[in-house]
Amino acid sequence: MYNLLHVIPKDKHDAVSLKGLLEDNPQIKFVSLMAVDLGNNSTDEKIPISVMLSDIDGFLKNGAQTDGSSVYLPKIAEINNAKVDLIPDLNVKWIVDYNMAHKDPESQRPVGTLVIPAYLYHDGIPVCSRSVLKRSTDFFKETLKNALNTNAYARDVLGIRTDEMIDEVYMTMATELEFWVKTPNQKSDYEKLSASQTLKEQYWKRTVGPVRTALEQALISLDRLGFEAEMGHKEVGGVPAQLGGEGQFSHIMEQLEIDWKYDEALQSADHELFAREVIQEVFFRHGLKVTFRAKPIEGVAGNGEHHHLGIAVRLNSGRRLNLFAPKDMKASYMNAFGWGALMGVLKNYEVVNPFVTSSNDAFNRLKPGFEAPVCTVASVGHTPEMPARNRTVLIGLVRDTENPLATRFELRAPNPLSNTYLLGAAAYQAMLDGILYVLKSESTAANLEKEMSKAYGEEAGYLEKNRAYRSEEDVFEHYDAEERNKLFGVPPRTVWENLCAFGRANGKLAVLKRGEVFPAAIIDSYQATILSQWVSELSNRVIPSNEDLIRRYVKLHDIEEITDLDVVNWEKIRSLRNELMKNSLAESALFSRIKQAMEVADYETASALQVEMMSKMTQLKALYQEYRHNLFTEA
């Protein structure tokens, strides 16, 4: 329909090339510098393209300034020193975002905005999420390149010949984006959703109506932006839409997934950010609402976003090698570096997890029973000859015996609103820690596999004694909760419990700080950011939402239809309602006690009370459902 410019590759980011492209595409009216703060908020501003064209070299070097009110960098960009610079990133591709509802009067093409990924600088220092991932990949590449070019053991692990040297290290990442789509202001019955999920009636089924059209258009739009979309399909959640008399679909409630090709880590993280915007825009044009929340509907499958992490090297001979793949794919799972990287993530996951799971919504998803990982444990497969996928573990090995370059790890805990930049950086830092152990010990792959597979209480060279790290079982069926906690560690239950990992004196924080990837200022600012979000959300969203729900849980039975079970159930419901919400002169209810603890910054107490609140709310919902189902009619 339109001959539009969608992508400007990094080899066209010089002043001459840009001027020519922008002059040939006058429908591009604005430029936006897209930076990402530590709270995973991305910037979007409309700068007239004429401002950029008036001094392209100056714009590319100096970008734009803000007073810090548009980004959240606590303890860094404070109110008395709030100047923040947005500096364009010239080394990733730029995209053009078109407003299909706004036409350029002269060309009759949609008005476009050139979106340029950028870094946030404060006092001359990069302080944003993108800069952390950039430092992580740079440090990893430099460290690995030096080792592979000078260390005889390292070269032997990969089979590098004496006449070969490392030209480049590639840090690759890919994400699987899940999301729910629904008709605005219409609700689907929870029990129908739950039953459909249990029966897997929607999983990979055919899409119809506006969902099909929007899904197809989203895939096409992503391809235009160079994503190389690989698949779009229905996920496990959802119920069939209702078709009205005029051929209009209503009560749409479906879960979808869209995947695209892997890329370099920083570019891949940018892709994910772009993709969410593109998908929301396309589905919105079809009157559909999209949510990327981790657990938008309690009791039904949440939205995950598995992160695939891989590393490859290119030699000056032209050969390309996977860092983790063994020399014989059918004889071994991985080489020594693969085992080291996997052990690094598991041993240090305590300080990686705060970047993966950083909200109340994220914790709502990570519960047994919904294929969401709870335990810090890995799976590599039952035999090297036959790759397998264990969907109950935190991280798994993905491999293809016919394609060594496909060997990678799948981290299953992230969700679509996890900060991919920070969690990617933390995961790579953890991997590097394990690889450094391997370089120091010069251990064999067989011995590292033995250490990775050690039993609880068994001494090890790198991994902790009182932990187990590998299971090829369904960890939710094979072990009970007590066994899981003993073997794999007690998982945090709240945002506060997760953040407390940074304060433990166990040396793991040094893994993040290695190479100045996560300097103390970034850690402190991130903690302050997530803590503030947790307090605000718990006080102003979670508790008020629970209060509204409790107000809807009213008595339904009358004296003529009452049974003793109705009376007992209602008394239990009434008691729980009072415990949770009803204050008296003598005692504060649970909701009020949480707020009081927050007000005096007693976060330990607030966290413990939140756990109690979640448990009681779960009981209340189950009781009210049982009570309601025993009645002939609802008053």
Side-chain angles (χ1 to χ4, degrees):
M1 183 168 58
Y2 305 108
N3 183 21
L4 299 174
L5 176 69
H6 291 280
V7 179
I8 301 182
K10 59 184 179 181
D11 61 354
K12 300 292 185 182
H13 293 172
D14 60 282
V16 174
S17 298
L18 283 173
K19 186 175 181 181
L21 287 170
L22 293 172
E23 287 177 348
D24 290 343
N25 291 272
Q27 77 278 4
I28 301 176
K29 301 294 186 183
F30 305 100
V31 59
S32 174
L33 295 173
M34 184 202 75
V36 183
D37 66 17
L38 298 179
N40 207 24
N41 305 298
S42 58
T43 59
D44 179 39
E45 67 288 335
K46 299 292 182 184
I47 302 172
I49 205 71
S50 58
V51 173
M52 180 179 180
L53 287 172
S54 67
D55 181 12
I56 293 182
D57 287 323
F59 187 87
L60 295 180
K61 180 180 179 182
N62 301 314
Q65 294 182 9
T66 175
D67 64 3
S69 59
S70 57
V71 294
Y72 194 48
L73 296 167
K75 299 189 176 184
I76 294 178
E78 300 285 27
I79 195 168
N80 64 334
N81 185 17
K83 176 178 172 289
V84 176
D85 298 308
L86 290 87
I87 306 299
D89 185 349
L90 307 184
N91 296 308
V92 293
K93 75 180 180 188
W94 303 345
I95 71 165
V96 183
D97 176 29
Y98 288 101
N99 184 352
M100 305 306 289
H102 183 194
K103 298 289 180 62
D104 173 23
E106 296 181 1
S107 67
Q108 286 302 300
R109 296 175 178 178
V111 169
T113 298
L114 175 60
V115 180
I116 302 179
Y119 297 112
L120 293 173
Y121 276 72
H122 182 263
D123 285 344
I125 300 172
V127 292
C128 59
S129 294
R130 294 187 79 255
S131 67
V132 175
L133 181 55
K134 179 68 163 56
R135 285 195 297 271
S136 174
T137 55
D138 285 350
F139 179 62
F140 197 118
K141 290 178 181 181
E142 179 185 4
T143 304
L144 187 63
K145 190 173 182 179
N146 289 339
L148 293 178
N149 279 335
T150 61
N151 187 304
Y153 163 82
R155 295 172 67 84
D156 181 65
V157 168
L158 289 185
I160 300 174
R161 300 192 306 263
T162 56
D163 62 328
E164 293 178 314
M165 299 291 283
I166 305 298
D167 264 357
E168 185 61 74
V169 177
Y170 297 97
M171 316 282 291
T172 60
M173 191 185 331
T175 58
E176 304 174 18
L177 184 61
E178 295 178 352
F179 55 96
W180 279 85
V181 57
K182 68 183 292 291
T183 312
N185 303 319
Q186 292 180 345
K187 295 183 179 180
S188 292
D189 188 275
Y190 155 74
E191 291 171 32
K192 291 180 181 178
L193 284 167
S194 182
S196 178
Q197 175 178 304
T198 301
L199 296 171
K200 297 193 182 300
E201 293 176 333
Q202 295 291 297
Y203 197 38
W204 281 41
K205 292 298 190 292
R206 188 173 187 266
T207 52
V208 297
V211 175
R212 174 180 177 174
T213 305
L215 179 61
E216 292 171 350
Q217 289 183 356
L219 290 166
I220 293 169
S221 295
L222 293 176
D223 255 354
R224 286 185 182 137
L225 298 176
F227 279 51
E228 297 185 55
E230 294 184 330
M231 187 183 298
H233 62 83
K234 280 195 179 189
E235 259 294 339
V236 67
V239 290
Q242 297 179 17
L243 183 61
E246 299 180 355
Q248 298 295 316
F249 286 90
S250 66
H251 293 84
I252 293 170
M253 178 68 79
E254 300 181 26
Q255 190 183 31
L256 305 175
E257 178 181 315
I258 289 181
D259 307 323
W260 52 90
K261 190 179 179 181
Y262 68 88
D263 212 314
E264 280 271 3
L266 191 57
Q267 184 66 79
S268 184
D270 287 344
H271 274 172
E272 184 215 316
L273 200 58
F274 294 151
R276 291 204 305 264
E277 302 292 339
V278 169
I279 291 166
Q280 281 187 314
E281 184 74 22
V282 170
F283 278 83
F284 176 76
R285 291 202 300 267
H286 291 274
L288 298 170
K289 181 180 179 181
V290 168
T291 179
F292 298 108
R293 285 181 54 201
K295 196 72 170 179
I297 309 168
E298 186 177 349
V300 181
N303 291 322
E305 189 183 58
H306 304 162
H307 281 53
H308 293 250
L309 305 166
I311 304 168
V313 298
R314 189 188 71 226
L315 307 176
N316 58 2
S317 63
R319 286 206 300 153
R320 191 173 176 125
L321 303 173
N322 185 291
L323 187 68
F324 306 143
K327 294 173 184 176
D328 185 345
M329 291 291 293
K330 294 185 178 180
S332 306
Y333 293 104
M334 292 180 284
N335 63 27
F337 292 138
W339 289 111
L342 182 57
M343 290 194 296
V345 173
L346 292 168
K347 180 180 178 180
N348 296 294
Y349 192 70
E350 187 178 1
V351 292
V352 175
N353 196 10
F355 301 104
V356 176
T357 310
S358 59
S359 67
N360 294 300
D361 180 44
F363 275 101
N364 288 338
R365 170 178 166 260
L366 299 184
K367 294 178 180 178
F370 297 94
E371 297 183 4
V374 176
C375 309
T376 305
V377 61
S379 166
V380 298
H382 299 288
T383 66
E385 299 94 335
M386 188 61 63
R389 298 276 191 103
N390 186 338
R391 302 203 310 245
T392 68
V393 298
L394 170 71
I395 185 169
L397 174 65
V398 180
R399 59 199 303 271
D400 179 347
T401 56
E402 302 302 321
N403 181 14
L405 288 174
T407 306
R408 62 194 186 273
F409 298 117
E410 180 186 37
L411 185 64
R412 299 179 57 82
N415 67 77
L417 298 181
S418 293
N419 188 323
T420 291
Y421 301 96
L422 296 182
L423 79 85
Y428 283 130
Q429 288 292 97
M431 283 184 181
L432 183 59
D433 188 63
I435 290 172
L436 291 175
Y437 161 69
V438 171
L439 287 169
K440 182 178 179 181
S441 66
E442 298 191 353
S443 186
T444 65
N447 285 338
L448 291 166
E449 179 179 357
K450 183 179 179 182
E451 178 171 354
M452 173 70 195
S453 309
K454 79 178 195 67
Y456 174 89
E458 184 180 341
E459 295 281 1
Y462 177 70
L463 297 175
E464 295 168 350
K465 176 181 177 181
N466 291 325
R467 284 282 311 281
Y469 293 91
R470 177 184 175 185
S471 177
E472 304 303 334
E473 306 290 346
D474 178 335
V475 297
F476 300 121
E477 294 292 333
H478 192 74
Y479 312 100
D480 60 30
E482 185 177 350
E483 289 173 318
R484 290 196 299 268
N485 289 343
K486 176 185 176 182
L487 294 175
F488 313 124
V490 179
R493 300 167 297 175
T494 68
V495 173
W496 170 254
E497 288 185 358
N498 212 7
L499 288 177
C500 284
F502 288 142
R504 298 191 186 105
N506 54 17
K508 295 181 181 179
L509 194 58
V511 172
L512 298 181
K513 293 181 177 180
R514 183 181 280 131
E516 287 296 304
V517 171
F518 282 91
I522 293 291
I523 296 289
D524 291 345
S525 183
Y526 179 76
Q527 282 186 281
T529 298
I530 301 305
L531 182 61
S532 174
Q533 290 177 350
W534 174 61
V535 169
S536 179
E537 185 182 35
L538 190 55
S539 299
N540 302 314
R541 287 185 179 173
V542 175
I543 291 177
S545 176
N546 285 341
E547 289 172 342
D548 290 342
L549 187 64
I550 287 174
R551 291 188 182 101
R552 295 200 297 271
Y553 284 179
V554 297
K555 184 168 68 172
L556 299 174
H557 61 266
D558 58 36
I559 195 67
E560 294 180 0
E561 296 180 349
I562 194 171
T563 69
D564 54 355
L565 180 61
D566 297 327
V567 173
V568 169
N569 280 342
W570 176 249
E571 284 305 308
K572 291 178 181 177
I573 292 166
R574 191 177 65 82
S575 177
L576 277 172
R577 292 170 83 224
N578 289 341
E579 285 183 54
L580 286 160
M581 184 174 164
K582 196 72 171 175
N583 297 319
S584 67
L585 290 175
E587 188 176 2
S588 295
L590 188 52
F591 293 166
S592 294
R593 285 155 53 207
I594 294 174
K595 292 179 181 178
Q596 290 161 8
M598 292 287 196
E599 288 171 1
V600 297
D602 183 359
Y603 301 127
E604 191 72 33
T605 297
S607 174
L609 292 174
Q610 181 186 5
V611 172
E612 183 181 349
M613 175 186 70
M614 292 188 294
S615 175
K616 289 185 183 298
M617 286 299 300
T618 299
Q619 293 177 48
L620 179 61
K621 292 171 186 176
L623 269 172
Y624 197 76
Q625 182 176 322
E626 180 184 342
Y627 164 72
R628 184 169 60 86
H629 278 307
N630 199 49
L631 302 176
F632 292 123
T633 58
E634 293 190 12

